[in-house]
Amino acid sequence: MRRRRTGLLLAASAGAALLVALGGRTLARHDPARIAAPPWSGPAPGMLLGADGLGRDVLSRVLAGGQELTLTALAAALIASALGVTGGLWVGWNRGRLSRAVAGAADLLLALPLLLLALLAVVALPGPAAVIVGTVLGGTPLTLRVVADATAEARYAGYVEAALSRGDRGGSVLVREVLPAHAGIVSADLAQRFVLSVQLAVALNVLGFGPAPPAPDWAAMLRENIPGLGLNPAAMITPALALAVLTGSVAALSYALTVRDGAS
């Protein structure tokens, strides 16, 4: 019961963080792109976190700065997880030459630096598309390996043997029996792919491949406000905390799902 309550609490925390990241713009008091005060001025009435280097309201920019990053990370995580789960089920169920070749290709991709792959992608693609490509190339092989190992272990489980003895086809058994049994693993892996995608997006945005100014973005705010850290620390600390809360809550949820699946 306590594990269940902990899981629900972590799920609620992650959901709240995602909701604020996606819909925080509606709570912003000022236009995130409008100059409202002297550059790097401290907290004042109506501006609880002061202003950034151009005099824009920090709180409004933080509330609006997570939307594009979070949407990109969610899209990348869903695509990478879907491809990895599909491939993992197939590789784990079929132990032929082709499935071994696919597993070997996944291992080869895992050996390549993820940031390097993303930097190569960003040369030809916009920042969000490069994040998706990088997450797919770096995250899909991890998901495939995890799901393939779990599927190979379940291949000779009693409930699978019972389904096959009833005359169910392999594809039907995978969808109706094996995949539901992997729900905890898949959910935890999806959360990890999201965290990976956020980290990749932050790295690219800090390097200057994110949204064009004056669009608010948590990672870009880190880069923009380094020179004023001594004047208004909130301009840099607040977006860093927002990123930490978002990824930390999702990562904690992933851990809880992994523990629950391992204990079940």
Side-chain angles (χ1 to χ4, degrees):
M1 181 63 71
R2 184 163 64 179
R3 186 181 292 118
R4 179 180 177 83
R5 286 199 298 266
T6 300
L8 290 175
L9 179 60
L10 290 173
S13 300
L18 287 170
L19 284 176
V20 172
L22 292 171
R25 182 183 294 268
T26 60
L27 304 175
R29 180 171 182 175
H30 301 280
D31 181 348
R34 183 174 65 85
I35 296 175
W40 283 317
S41 57
M47 296 183 65
L48 296 178
L49 299 177
D52 67 0
L54 294 179
R56 300 166 296 192
D57 179 34
V58 170
L59 179 58
S60 295
R61 289 184 66 77
V62 169
L63 288 172
Q67 185 178 66
E68 181 174 341
L69 183 148
T70 304
L71 286 174
T72 300
L74 283 172
L78 288 170
I79 294 172
S81 186
L83 292 174
V85 169
T86 303
L89 288 172
W90 181 79
V91 169
W93 188 264
N94 300 283
R95 287 300 181 179
R97 184 176 300 176
L98 182 58
S99 63
R100 290 194 297 269
V102 172
D107 291 340
L108 179 62
L109 279 176
L110 287 175
L112 299 176
L114 176 60
L115 185 57
L116 176 61
L117 294 174
L119 288 173
L120 291 175
V122 84
V123 172
L125 299 170
V131 170
I132 293 175
V133 170
T135 302
V136 168
L137 292 178
T140 298
L142 286 170
T143 304
L144 185 147
R145 267 308 191 179
V146 170
V147 175
D149 290 344
T151 301
E153 185 177 340
R155 178 69 175 81
Y156 301 102
Y159 67 92
V160 172
E161 295 286 357
L164 292 173
S165 66
R166 293 195 305 264
D168 293 350
R169 295 179 178 273
S172 176
V173 173
L174 282 174
V175 173
R176 296 182 180 180
E177 305 290 344
V178 178
L179 184 57
H182 295 345
I185 294 176
V186 172
S187 300
D189 185 82
L190 176 61
Q192 286 298 317
R193 298 290 77 78
F194 174 80
V195 173
L196 172 70
S197 184
V198 170
Q199 293 172 340
L200 188 59
V202 170
L204 292 180
N205 290 3
V206 168
L207 292 174
F209 297 108
D217 178 84
W218 289 341
M221 290 178 70
L222 300 178
R223 183 185 71 249
E224 295 167 353
N225 293 296
I226 289 177
L229 184 60
L231 298 173
N232 184 18
M236 184 174 177
I237 293 175
T238 309
L241 285 175
L243 285 166
V245 169
L246 177 63
T247 56
S249 60
V250 175
L253 176 61
S254 172
Y255 175 76
L257 290 170
T258 304
V259 171
R260 187 193 68 177
D261 189 75
S264 60

